[in-house]
């Protein structure tokens, strides 16, 4: 009876460990696939014109630098951070410029 109990305990432990390893392998495969898809999509940005890249807050240098990183690094994370940083900087410039300029309306009302 103890042999059967020990065999069952080892079998349960083996199945549990094997299941954990398979789950970890599936998660890692999904992670690698996501990085590959994001890298492919970032490469598509190379086909954009400089004007189109500027519209989304990036430059050609930013795209090349993100793609030059290691293969295991997700370039989309770097590109998102750069684009966000550029938009924050641009917002500050626009606010400062707006505060420093005295706006006059382009169309004046009828003066009677």
């Amino acid at each position: 009876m103890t042999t059967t109990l020990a065999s069952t305990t080892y079998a349960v432990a083996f199945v549990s460990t094997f299941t954990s390893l398979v789950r970890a392998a599936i998660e890692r495969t999904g992670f690698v696939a996501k990085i590959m898809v994001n890298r492919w999509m970032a490469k598509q940005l190379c086909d954009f014109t400089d004007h189109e890249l500027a519209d989304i807050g990036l430059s050609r240098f930013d795209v090349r630098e993100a793609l030059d990183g290691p293969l295991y690094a997700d370039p989309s994370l770097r590109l998102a951070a750069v684009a966000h940083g550029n938009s924050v900087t641009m917002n500050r410039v626009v606010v400062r410029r707006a505060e420093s300029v005295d706006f006059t309306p382009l169309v004046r009302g009828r003066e009677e």
Side-chain angles (χ1 to χ4, degrees):
M1 182 152 177
T2 59
T3 306
T4 306
L5 182 61
S7 300
T8 305
T9 304
Y10 288 128
V12 168
F14 174 77
V15 169
S16 175
T17 304
F18 183 74
T19 303
S20 296
L21 290 173
V22 169
R23 185 177 298 131
I26 290 171
E27 287 174 4
R28 180 61 80 186
T29 302
F31 179 72
V32 170
K34 181 180 176 185
I35 288 175
M36 289 173 55
V37 167
N38 289 345
R39 183 167 285 280
W40 177 79
M41 292 175 78
K43 283 183 182 179
Q44 301 300 312
L45 291 174
C46 293
D47 295 336
F48 282 38
T49 65
D50 290 336
H51 183 71
E52 290 170 331
L53 287 172
D55 281 347
I56 58 175
L58 297 172
S59 68
R60 196 159 303 284
F61 174 79
D62 296 331
V63 175
R64 285 189 188 129
E65 191 172 291
L67 290 172
D68 284 344
L71 290 177
Y72 59 84
D74 190 348
S76 65
L77 299 175
R78 179 170 177 76
L79 292 172
V82 168
H84 177 72
N86 289 343
S87 70
V88 168
T89 303
M90 184 54 80
N91 286 340
R92 288 182 188 145
V93 168
V94 169
V95 167
R96 270 192 237 128
R97 190 173 291 166
E99 291 171 349
S100 66
V101 174
D102 180 29
F103 286 106
T104 56
L106 296 176
V107 179
R108 295 187 181 184
R110 240 171 70 180
E111 297 176 27
E112 294 183 37

